[in-house]
Amino acid sequence: DLSESPPILMKQLRAVARHDHSARLSELGGIPTLVISAEKDPIARVSHGRTLARAIPGAVFEIMQNASHGVIFDQVEMVNRRLA
């Protein structure tokens, strides 16, 4: 759990803050893309997922209702069905 290791968490947060390839997202057009956001995620907010999907031509955006940051672990079957 990263919350139990503040030095690692801080390194990750600094890396995320410096990383921005948003100008290149349009290059992903033509590649089937599904952006899933968890409705109750306090970290990767729905608004961020929506912005990401809008930047990728043809991307599909979905919100997993009643899900939070661990959606890929909590909703494994639903996420896998959507990816399939």
Side-chain angles (χ1 to χ4, degrees):
D1 187 350
L2 291 176
S3 65
E4 296 174 7
S5 183
I8 293 172
L9 178 60
M10 293 311 297
K11 286 180 181 180
Q12 286 190 328
L13 290 174
R14 281 193 297 275
V16 167
R18 289 188 296 242
H19 182 84
D20 183 5
H21 282 288
S22 56
R24 297 190 61 198
L25 290 172
S26 64
E27 296 174 25
L28 299 175
I31 299 171
T33 304
L34 172 63
V35 177
I36 297 174
S37 287
E39 176 188 35
K40 298 178 180 183
D41 190 334
I43 298 168
R45 296 187 178 127
V46 169
S47 61
H48 298 154
R50 188 174 284 118
T51 298
L52 177 63
R54 284 184 187 142
I56 302 170
V60 174
F61 175 68
E62 294 184 6
I63 300 172
M64 292 277 184
Q65 301 299 317
N66 298 312
S68 191
H69 193 68
V71 68
I72 62 172
F73 304 110
D74 296 336
Q75 304 287 333
V76 173
E77 290 179 22
M78 187 181 302
V79 170
N80 285 340
R81 264 196 314 274
R82 291 303 300 131
L83 293 174

